[in-house]
Coordinates of all heavy atoms in Angstrom, one line a residue:
N1 N -185.7 29.4 -34.4 CA -185.5 30.7 -33.9 C -184.5 30.5 -32.7 O -184.9 29.9 -31.7 CB -186.8 31.3 -33.4 CG -186.7 32.8 -33.1 OD1 -185.6 33.4 -33.4 ND2 -187.7 33.4 -32.6
D2 N -183.4 31.1 -32.8 CA -182.4 31.1 -31.7 C -182.1 29.8 -31.2 O -182.0 29.5 -30.0 CB -182.9 32.0 -30.5 CG -182.9 33.5 -30.9 OD1 -182.1 33.9 -31.8 OD2 -183.7 34.3 -30.3
G3 N -182.0 28.8 -32.1 CA -181.6 27.4 -31.7 C -182.7 26.6 -31.2 O -182.5 25.4 -30.9
G4 N -183.9 27.1 -31.3 CA -185.1 26.3 -30.9 C -186.0 26.1 -32.2 O -185.8 26.8 -33.1
I5 N -186.8 25.1 -32.1 CA -187.7 24.8 -33.2 C -189.1 25.0 -32.8 O -189.5 24.5 -31.8 CB -187.5 23.3 -33.7 CG1 -186.1 23.1 -34.3 CG2 -188.5 23.0 -34.8 CD1 -185.1 22.7 -33.3
G6 N -189.8 25.8 -33.6 CA -191.2 26.1 -33.3 C -192.1 25.4 -34.2 O -191.9 25.3 -35.4
L7 N -193.2 24.8 -33.7 CA -194.2 24.2 -34.5 C -195.5 24.9 -34.2 O -196.0 24.9 -33.0 CB -194.3 22.7 -34.2 CG -195.5 21.9 -34.8 CD1 -195.3 21.9 -36.3 CD2 -195.5 20.5 -34.2
E8 N -196.1 25.6 -35.2 CA -197.4 26.3 -35.0 C -198.4 25.7 -35.8 O -198.2 25.2 -37.0 CB -197.2 27.8 -35.4 CG -196.1 28.5 -34.6 CD -195.8 29.9 -35.1 OE1 -196.0 30.1 -36.3 OE2 -195.4 30.7 -34.3
M9 N -199.7 25.6 -35.3 CA -200.8 25.0 -36.0 C -202.0 25.9 -35.7 O -202.2 26.4 -34.6 CB -201.0 23.6 -35.6 CG -199.9 22.7 -35.9 SD -200.1 21.0 -35.3 CE -201.4 20.4 -36.4
A10 N -202.8 26.1 -36.8 CA -204.0 26.9 -36.7 C -205.0 26.5 -37.8 O -204.5 26.0 -38.8 CB -203.7 28.4 -36.8
A11 N -206.2 26.7 -37.6 CA -207.2 26.4 -38.6 C -206.9 27.3 -39.8 O -206.6 28.5 -39.7 CB -208.6 26.7 -38.1
E12 N -207.1 26.7 -41.0 CA -206.9 27.4 -42.3 C -207.6 28.8 -42.3 O -207.1 29.8 -42.8 CB -207.3 26.5 -43.4 CG -207.2 27.1 -44.8 CD -207.6 26.1 -45.8 OE1 -208.2 25.1 -45.5 OE2 -207.5 26.5 -47.0
N13 N -208.9 28.8 -41.8 CA -209.7 30.0 -41.9 C -209.3 31.0 -40.8 O -210.0 32.0 -40.7 CB -211.2 29.6 -41.9 CG -211.6 28.8 -40.7 OD1 -210.8 28.5 -39.8 ND2 -212.9 28.5 -40.6
D14 N -208.3 30.7 -40.0 CA -207.9 31.6 -38.9 C -206.5 32.0 -39.1 O -205.9 32.6 -38.2 CB -208.0 30.8 -37.6 CG -208.1 31.7 -36.4 OD1 -208.5 32.9 -36.5 OD2 -207.7 31.2 -35.3
W15 N -205.9 31.7 -40.2 CA -204.5 32.1 -40.5 C -204.4 33.3 -41.4 O -205.3 33.5 -42.2 CB -203.9 30.9 -41.2 CG -202.4 30.9 -41.3 CD1 -201.6 31.3 -42.4 CD2 -201.4 30.5 -40.3 NE1 -200.3 31.2 -42.1 CE2 -200.1 30.7 -40.9 CE3 -201.5 30.0 -39.0 CZ2 -199.0 30.5 -40.1 CZ3 -200.4 29.8 -38.3 CH2 -199.2 30.0 -38.9
P16 N -203.5 34.2 -41.3 CA -202.2 34.1 -40.6 C -202.2 34.8 -39.2 O -201.2 34.8 -38.6 CB -201.3 34.9 -41.5 CG -202.1 36.0 -42.1 CD -203.5 35.4 -42.2
Q17 N -203.3 35.3 -38.7 CA -203.4 35.9 -37.4 C -204.3 35.0 -36.5 O -205.3 35.4 -36.1 CB -203.9 37.3 -37.5 CG -203.1 38.2 -38.3 CD -201.7 38.5 -37.8 OE1 -201.6 38.5 -36.5 NE2 -200.8 38.6 -38.6
P18 N -203.8 33.8 -36.2 CA -204.7 32.9 -35.4 C -205.1 33.4 -34.0 O -204.2 33.9 -33.3 CB -203.9 31.6 -35.3 CG -202.5 32.0 -35.5 CD -202.5 33.2 -36.4
K19 N -206.3 33.3 -33.7 CA -206.8 33.6 -32.4 C -206.8 32.4 -31.5 O -206.7 32.5 -30.3 CB -208.2 34.2 -32.5 CG -208.3 35.5 -33.2 CD -209.7 35.9 -33.5 CE -209.8 37.1 -34.4 NZ -209.4 36.8 -35.8
N20 N -206.9 31.2 -32.1 CA -207.0 30.0 -31.3 C -206.0 29.0 -31.7 O -206.1 27.8 -31.6 CB -208.4 29.4 -31.5 CG -209.5 30.3 -30.9 OD1 -209.4 30.7 -29.8 ND2 -210.5 30.6 -31.8
G21 N -204.9 29.4 -32.3 CA -203.8 28.5 -32.8 C -203.0 27.9 -31.6 O -203.1 28.4 -30.5
L22 N -202.2 27.0 -31.9 CA -201.3 26.3 -31.0 C -199.9 26.5 -31.4 O -199.6 26.5 -32.6 CB -201.7 24.9 -30.8 CG -203.1 24.5 -30.3 CD1 -203.3 23.0 -30.4 CD2 -203.2 25.0 -28.9
S23 N -199.0 26.6 -30.4 CA -197.6 26.8 -30.7 C -196.8 26.0 -29.8 O -197.0 26.1 -28.6 CB -197.3 28.3 -30.6 OG -196.0 28.6 -31.1
A24 N -195.9 25.2 -30.3 CA -195.0 24.4 -29.4 C -193.6 24.7 -29.7 O -193.2 25.0 -30.8 CB -195.3 22.9 -29.7
F25 N -192.7 24.6 -28.6 CA -191.3 24.9 -28.7 C -190.6 23.6 -28.4 O -190.9 22.9 -27.5 CB -190.9 25.9 -27.7 CG -189.4 26.2 -27.7 CD1 -188.8 27.1 -28.5 CD2 -188.6 25.4 -26.8 CE1 -187.4 27.3 -28.5 CE2 -187.2 25.6 -26.8 CZ -186.6 26.5 -27.6
F26 N -189.6 23.3 -29.2 CA -188.7 22.1 -29.0 C -187.3 22.5 -29.0 O -186.9 23.3 -29.9 CB -188.9 21.1 -30.2 CG -190.3 20.6 -30.3 CD1 -191.3 21.2 -31.1 CD2 -190.7 19.4 -29.6 CE1 -192.6 20.7 -31.2 CE2 -192.0 18.9 -29.7 CZ -192.9 19.6 -30.5
N27 N -186.5 22.0 -28.1 CA -185.0 22.1 -28.3 C -184.6 21.1 -29.3 O -185.4 20.3 -29.8 CB -184.3 22.0 -27.0 CG -184.3 20.6 -26.4 OD1 -184.4 19.6 -27.1 ND2 -184.2 20.5 -25.0
V28 N -183.3 21.1 -29.7 CA -182.8 20.2 -30.8 C -183.1 18.7 -30.5 O -183.6 18.0 -31.3 CB -181.4 20.5 -31.1 CG1 -180.8 19.4 -32.1 CG2 -181.2 21.9 -31.6
D29 N -182.8 18.3 -29.3 CA -183.0 16.9 -28.9 C -184.5 16.5 -29.0 O -184.9 15.4 -29.4 CB -182.4 16.5 -27.6 CG -180.9 16.5 -27.6 OD1 -180.3 16.3 -28.7 OD2 -180.3 16.7 -26.5
E30 N -185.3 17.4 -28.5 CA -186.8 17.1 -28.5 C -187.3 17.1 -29.9 O -188.1 16.2 -30.3 CB -187.5 18.2 -27.7 CG -187.2 18.2 -26.2 CD -187.5 19.5 -25.5 OE1 -187.7 20.6 -26.2 OE2 -187.7 19.4 -24.3
A31 N -186.8 18.0 -30.8 CA -187.2 18.0 -32.2 C -186.8 16.7 -32.9 O -187.5 16.1 -33.7 CB -186.6 19.2 -32.9
R32 N -185.6 16.2 -32.6 CA -185.1 14.9 -33.2 C -186.0 13.8 -32.7 O -186.3 12.9 -33.5 CB -183.7 14.6 -32.8 CG -182.7 15.5 -33.5 CD -181.3 15.0 -33.3 NE -180.4 15.7 -34.1 CZ -179.4 16.5 -33.6 NH1 -179.2 16.5 -32.3 NH2 -178.6 17.2 -34.4
E33 N -186.5 13.8 -31.5 CA -187.4 12.8 -31.0 C -188.7 12.8 -31.7 O -189.3 11.8 -32.1 CB -187.6 13.0 -29.5 CG -188.4 11.9 -28.8 CD -188.5 12.1 -27.3 OE1 -187.7 12.9 -26.7 OE2 -189.5 11.6 -26.7
L34 N -189.2 14.0 -32.0 CA -190.5 14.2 -32.7 C -190.3 13.7 -34.2 O -191.1 12.9 -34.7 CB -190.9 15.6 -32.7 CG -192.1 16.0 -33.6 CD1 -193.3 15.3 -33.1 CD2 -192.3 17.5 -33.6
V35 N -189.2 14.0 -34.8 CA -188.9 13.6 -36.2 C -188.8 12.1 -36.2 O -189.4 11.4 -37.1 CB -187.7 14.3 -36.7 CG1 -187.2 13.6 -38.0 CG2 -187.9 15.7 -36.9
S36 N -188.2 11.5 -35.2 CA -188.1 10.0 -35.2 C -189.4 9.4 -35.1 O -189.7 8.3 -35.8 CB -187.2 9.6 -34.0 OG -187.1 8.2 -33.9
A37 N -190.3 9.9 -34.3 CA -191.7 9.4 -34.1 C -192.4 9.5 -35.4 O -193.1 8.6 -35.9 CB -192.4 10.1 -33.0
I38 N -192.3 10.6 -36.1 CA -193.0 10.8 -37.4 C -192.4 9.8 -38.4 O -193.2 9.2 -39.2 CB -192.8 12.3 -37.9 CG1 -193.6 13.2 -37.0 CG2 -193.2 12.4 -39.4 CD1 -193.4 14.7 -37.2
E39 N -191.1 9.6 -38.5 CA -190.5 8.7 -39.4 C -191.0 7.2 -39.1 O -191.3 6.5 -40.0 CB -189.0 8.7 -39.3 CG -188.4 10.0 -40.0 CD -186.9 10.1 -39.8 OE1 -186.3 9.5 -38.8 OE2 -186.3 10.9 -40.6
S40 N -191.2 6.9 -37.8 CA -191.7 5.6 -37.5 C -193.1 5.4 -38.0 O -193.5 4.4 -38.5 CB -191.6 5.3 -36.0 OG -190.3 5.3 -35.5
A41 N -193.9 6.5 -37.8 CA -195.3 6.4 -38.3 C -195.4 6.3 -39.8 O -196.2 5.6 -40.4 CB -196.1 7.7 -37.8
I42 N -194.5 7.0 -40.5 CA -194.4 6.9 -42.0 C -194.1 5.5 -42.4 O -194.7 5.0 -43.3 CB -193.3 7.9 -42.5 CG1 -193.8 9.4 -42.4 CG2 -193.0 7.6 -44.0 CD1 -192.8 10.4 -42.6
R43 N -193.1 4.9 -41.8 CA -192.7 3.5 -42.1 C -193.9 2.6 -42.0 O -194.2 1.7 -42.8 CB -191.5 3.0 -41.3 CG -190.2 3.6 -41.8 CD -189.0 2.9 -41.2 NE -189.0 3.1 -39.7 CZ -188.4 4.2 -39.2 NH1 -187.9 5.2 -39.9 NH2 -188.4 4.3 -37.8
R44 N -194.7 2.8 -40.9 CA -195.8 1.9 -40.7 C -197.0 2.2 -41.7 O -197.7 1.3 -42.1 CB -196.4 2.1 -39.2 CG -197.6 1.2 -39.0 CD -198.0 1.2 -37.6 NE -197.1 0.5 -36.7 CZ -197.3 0.3 -35.5 NH1 -198.4 0.8 -34.9 NH2 -196.5 -0.4 -34.7
A45 N -197.1 3.5 -42.0 CA -198.2 3.8 -42.9 C -197.9 3.6 -44.4 O -198.9 3.4 -45.2 CB -198.5 5.3 -42.8
E46 N -196.7 3.5 -44.8 CA -196.3 3.4 -46.2 C -197.0 2.3 -46.9 O -197.5 2.5 -48.0 CB -194.8 3.3 -46.4 CG -194.2 4.5 -47.0 CD -192.7 4.4 -47.0 OE1 -192.0 3.7 -46.3 OE2 -192.1 5.2 -47.8
P47 N -197.0 1.1 -46.4 CA -197.6 0.0 -47.1 C -199.2 0.1 -47.3 O -199.8 -0.5 -48.2 CB -197.4 -1.3 -46.3 CG -196.4 -0.9 -45.2 CD -196.4 0.6 -45.2
K48 N -199.8 1.0 -46.5 CA -201.2 1.2 -46.5 C -201.6 2.5 -47.2 O -202.8 2.8 -47.3 CB -201.8 1.2 -45.1 CG -201.3 0.1 -44.2 CD -201.9 0.3 -42.8 CE -200.8 0.0 -41.8 NZ -201.2 0.3 -40.5

């Protein structure tokens, strides 16, 4: 949204109108850092 990346999380039984959900905003560089961390975790988890 407008050049930012939003990550929203909520309990399945509380969606789509979450009362207790969480929402995070990342700029492009921050989102790349998050993706890099997820990719590192994937590489470590793959063999297991």
